[in-house]
Amino acid sequence: MTEEIDFILESTEESMEGSIGHLEKEFLNIRAGKASPAMLGSVFVDYYGSSTALNQVAKISTPDARTITLQPFEKNMLQTIEKAIMIANLGFNPMNNGDIIIISVPPLTEDRRRELAKQAKAEAEDAKIGIRNARKEANTDIKKLEKEGTSEDICKSAEEEVQNLTNTYIKKIDELLAAKEAEIMKV
């Protein structure tokens, strides 16, 4: 019977780890002032009829803290890439010089910083919801095992273990959020 509980605990931890991974990915998309290729991670380009990630059709680099350059692998993709960046509504104004696309990353205003911090909080809250859902699922599975005859003591300790996992991962989310907010608010 404890094999089933071990499986529940492992899959719960895996699910919680997935929530943390997703949060970290979302945080990469929230820009914090300095230029980064990850800022364009959500941009997809129409590449011969299929939606393709921007980094698959162009080399993205950051020559300095305020500039992103894109060197398309095919020159005829310049306008398409430029249009995709505009459609993505990231607040960037791409400039096309015939060979490469240059994006000047504007400095963040105080209002924009607050807005981004709010967005980071919302993403963190979504991750916490994911953690709590994993806890609820695990506790439901443990209750089923208890009804099927697993000892009450084993089930109680498994529920405590699930709660400890939940607390650990919620704390991780709070730490990630604090770090991201500090990064966003730093001028």
Side-chain angles (χ1 to χ4, degrees), residues 68-83:
I68 301 173
T69 59
L70 295 112
Q71 174 83 50
F73 299 134
E74 295 176 32
K75 222 176 202 156
N76 65 341
M77 291 298 294
L78 277 167
Q79 275 78 31
T80 311
I81 291 172
E82 202 173 3
K83 193 169 139 191

Side-chain angles (χ1 to χ4, degrees), residues 23 27 116-127 129 177:
L23 178 65
F27 276 179
L116 291 173
K118 205 181 279 184
Q119 187 181 342
K121 268 189 186 126
E123 292 296 344
E125 195 50 47
D126 286 348
I129 289 169
L177 176 62

Side-chain angles (χ1 to χ4, degrees), residues 5 10 19 39 53-54 65 81 85 94-95 101 106 108 112 124 177:
I5 286 182
E10 281 174 26
S19 289
M39 292 174 162
L54 185 58
I81 291 172
I85 292 168
M95 293 174 290
I101 294 173
L108 295 172
R112 184 72 178 134
L177 176 62

Side-chain angles (χ1 to χ4, degrees), residues 21 45 49 60 67-68 75 90 92 94 96 100 103 106 110 112 117 127 129 137 151 159-160 162:
V45 179
I60 305 171
T67 312
I68 301 173
K75 222 176 202 156
L90 299 170
F92 295 141
N96 173 351
I100 61 173
I103 299 172
E110 189 62 31
R112 184 72 178 134
I129 289 169
E137 218 172 273
S151 97
E159 285 176 1
E160 285 171 18
V162 168

Side-chain angles (χ1 to χ4, degrees), residues 26-74:
E26 290 301 317
F27 276 179
L28 281 177
N29 291 336
I30 299 174
R31 69 187 188 95
K34 66 179 192 211
S36 156
M39 292 174 162
L40 300 173
S42 62
V43 178
F44 284 83
V45 179
D46 180 33
Y47 185 67
Y48 297 111
S50 67
S51 184
T52 309
L54 185 58
N55 63 4
Q56 301 292 310
V57 296
K59 178 180 170 250
I60 305 171
S61 58
T62 51
D64 62 57
R66 293 265 172 243
T67 312
I68 301 173
T69 59
L70 295 112
Q71 174 83 50
F73 299 134
E74 295 176 32

Side-chain angles (χ1 to χ4, degrees), residues 134-146:
R135 173 184 63 189
K136 183 180 171 198
E137 218 172 273
N139 285 339
T140 302
D141 291 345
I142 291 168
K143 293 266 189 257
K144 277 185 199 164
L145 288 178
E146 193 174 350

